[in-house]
Each structure stands twice: as structure tokens, then as C-alpha cells.
Amino acid sequence: MSDYLPVEVILEILKRLPIKSLVKCRSVCKTWNSLICNPSFISTHLQASLSEPNNTPFILLRCFKKGKENYFLHYDNDDFDEFKQLQFPVFGCLSCSEVVDSCHGLVCLTFSPQDVLNFIFWNPSIQKYITLPQPNIYCYTDDVRLNFGFGFDSRTNDYKLLIVGVEKGETLIEPYLFSLNENCWKRVTPTSPKYAVEAGISSTFVNGALHWLGYQRGKNGGFSNAILGFDLSNEEFLEISLPESLVWLCPMDLSTMRYGESSIAVLKRDWEDGELFELWVMKEYGVVESWTQVLALHLIDQSGGFPRVLGFRKNGEVLLQVDDGEMASLDLNCQQMEPHGVEVGAELSYVGSYVESLVLLDKAVDVRSVSDANHARDSSDSDESSDGECEIT
């Protein structure tokens, strides 16, 4: 075909194909393999997927069933149908991993053997991964608590991972930033706002920035809250004011989440008022006056327990986990909850939007090489005991 069609036409055809077909097309000839693995084509195909109006978006779920780590893709449609289960390879000791976040088909994983941080970027759609160099920081000490944020820098077409450390005195220390393009860590030198963030709280990536709930503790023991952000392109911190009714609350009662394509929301849970949920959305990103309360409701599921708010769906409904593991949606207009009949179990640890992509195809290691190495190691003489360290090939 390449003998009769211009390269431009071939690229127009290829960029409309699904990921599974493109991976197979790499075997057609060297020319096609070179075209598909080109960073420019990888980016073009991703943008075409994101902008295609007829594409049904996916939701990525990570849960544990019978002690096994599982990843599933579901259609974000009325029936919440399962698209497929993703094959999760065991990267050495990665069974004790945590998901930092996912972006453009990449899943950022972290694990900490012997209190040393390790990170992996994994693309389950093409079964490729890359191991990040270790940052020069210990993850758990008496004086430092850590949070992580993962997102995309559109200005440099780069994926970045931020480590935010909080000292014992509840002030941010100089953060670390990883760049996939440069494959290295660096310290972020711009002065950060004088806010602390709770350890282990996931960030919200939207509008090119990572967001956490930040707080300051007053001399009288009270709190002052705001949204603490970090712009991945400018590599600078930013601050977004909250509605007045949320500013002075205990920060443990608040959490951030993505709202739509380009803004944020804050969930308030009032434990003293019979589990009252309040949901505030910023209709226009960065405009404090656009904060709007869209939900104030006492939520109790059929089991008599309290549902877990997971985030917003593409249609604007709120996705919930109810009845100790069932998925449901809440329509904000009529405030009615409808179950989906999908059981994910109580140990659901991550939910996020997902798009299949070719990201990492040009620079990553094939996951199968890890599986083969693990199988060979498991088949070797068991008397040769290891020293307890995790090895990633």
C-alpha cells in the first residue's frame, strides 16, 4: 500500500485506527513501524482520540478481589458496561503498589520497599512500562510526609511527576519534579505558598495543574483552607480561594476532584450532621465568584451505610460506591441515585477517566520481558533466598 499511497494519506488512515489495530500494523513493514512509533504520530493519534466526539470515554477501576490486584475499563455510558479487564503484570514487589494517577493512558504507580521511593509509568493498552530513576528522598521519616501528583505539560509535550513534602511543622519543603522527556528529577526552586497538605491525599490534575486541599493552622488551633496548585508548564505554585463556608473547616472534611474537562470541585463531608454531603464546583476555573454549591444531601445507601463519592462522570452525574462495593450514579438535577449492577468489592482503591493511547511506545520496555524474568526467577532454586529488595528489570 505504501508504494501507491503518499505517506500523508497513510498517516491519516492510521491515526483513526484503535490501539489494538495499530500495534498489529507495526508488523506490516518497517516503514509502518517507524511511522507508528514516531513521537509526532503518537501525539497526533492521542489528540485525535481525545477530540473525537463519537468516542465513548472510559473509566479505569482498580480493586482487589480474592487478594489479587485487578484493573478494569468500563464504558462511561448509561449501562456502565465493562470494556475489558487489563492484564496487570507483577513488577517484582509491585503487588504492594499504589496508584498516583492516570493521564493520557499512562498509569503512574509507586511503591516503597525499605522506605525508598520507586515509581513506574505503565501503559496497559500497549503493555509497555518505564521505571523512573529513584529520587534522592526517603518516603517515611518522623519529620517528613509526602504527596504525589502526576500530569501532562502541554507546552513541552512532557509527562511530569511531582513530590510534595510536608515537614513536621506543617510547611512545604522544596519539592522534587520528574520529567519524562529529560528522564531525571530536579528540585523546584520557586517559593511555595505557606500551606500544608495531608499525607496520602491524591492530587487532582486539571487545566495543566495539580491541585490539593491546602491548609494553614492558626495560633488558636483553627484552620484556614485554600486550593494549592502547581502549574506543570510554568513549574510554579498557585493558590485558589475557596467559598467562605469552606475556608475555616477541618481540612480532613474536604477533598478535591475533577469537574468537567477544565475545572475542579470540592467535596465536604459533615460527620457531625448525620453524614451530610456538600458538593461545590468551580464553574469557571480560577474565578472565585463562580463557586457554586450543586449538592447538599444526607446520603445513605440500601445497606444503611454511607456511600463513597468517587468523582464526576462525563454526563455530569456523580459516581458513587455504595452497599459495600456496588457502583451507582447520582443525578444532580433530581438527586436520585441509580445503581449500575456492577460489583467491584469494598477494596476499590482508584477510579479515574481513561483514554487508550500509544504513549511510551517509542521509549518503554515491553511488559512481557518482566513477566518472563519473574517466571524464570520463580523457577530457579528456591534455596537462593533474596535479601528482601525489589528488583525491576
Side-chain angles (χ1 to χ4, degrees), residues 56-69:
T56 302
F58 295 119
I59 293 178
L60 174 65
L61 304 178
R62 181 209 193 216
C63 58
F64 289 84
K65 292 183 177 180
K66 298 180 180 179
K68 184 179 179 182
E69 187 171 355

Side-chain angles (χ1 to χ4, degrees), residues 43-241:
S43 178
T44 298
H45 183 271
L46 173 63
Q47 294 308 314
S49 299
L50 292 173
S51 59
E52 173 55 54
N54 296 323
N55 281 353
T56 302
F58 295 119
I59 293 178
L60 174 65
L61 304 178
R62 181 209 193 216
C63 58
F64 289 84
K65 292 183 177 180
K66 298 180 180 179
K68 184 179 179 182
E69 187 171 355
N70 297 278
Y71 289 80
F72 299 90
L73 283 181
H74 282 257
Y75 288 107
D76 191 1
N77 56 15
D78 292 339
D79 297 324
F80 205 70
D81 301 316
E82 182 179 319
F83 173 58
K84 65 180 177 181
Q85 181 174 355
L86 301 175
Q87 181 181 358
F88 178 69
V90 179
F91 302 96
C93 294
L94 205 55
S95 58
C96 55
S97 67
E98 295 294 335
V99 177
V100 175
D101 207 347
S102 67
C103 179
H104 293 176
L106 291 189
V107 180
C108 178
L109 301 165
T110 180
F111 64 112
S112 310
Q114 300 181 351
D115 291 347
V116 178
L117 283 174
N118 291 267
F119 296 96
I120 281 179
F121 291 171
W122 168 51
N123 186 332
S125 299
I126 59 175
Q127 284 298 289
K128 298 281 187 177
Y129 82 100
I130 186 170
T131 304
L132 277 58
Q134 287 184 345
N136 187 24
I137 185 172
Y138 286 92
C139 53
Y140 300 109
T141 70
D142 293 336
D143 297 326
V144 177
R145 307 187 308 273
L146 299 178
N147 264 315
F148 315 116
F150 174 60
F152 179 67
D153 177 359
S154 60
R155 181 181 299 175
T156 58
N157 195 33
D158 193 8
Y159 294 88
K160 296 180 177 179
L161 171 65
L162 183 72
I163 300 178
V164 179
V166 184
E167 290 184 319
K168 197 172 184 178
E170 295 188 338
T171 57
L172 290 180
I173 61 174
E174 199 172 45
Y176 283 78
L177 183 67
F178 176 81
S179 161
L180 180 59
N181 285 350
E182 300 175 7
N183 193 36
C184 67
W185 294 90
K186 68 176 181 181
R187 288 186 177 271
V188 179
T189 54
T191 304
S192 60
K194 301 300 182 182
Y195 284 92
V197 292
E198 285 295 323
I201 302 299
S202 299
S203 67
T204 300
F205 175 71
V206 67
N207 221 35
L210 304 167
H211 303 81
W212 293 269
L213 194 287
Y215 67 92
Q216 295 175 328
R217 191 185 295 271
K219 295 181 179 179
N220 60 354
F223 296 97
S224 175
N225 303 313
I227 301 295
L228 176 64
F230 183 81
D231 188 302
L232 289 178
S233 293
N234 298 330
E235 297 185 0
E236 294 179 348
F237 284 95
L238 55 94
E239 181 182 338
I240 299 176
S241 298

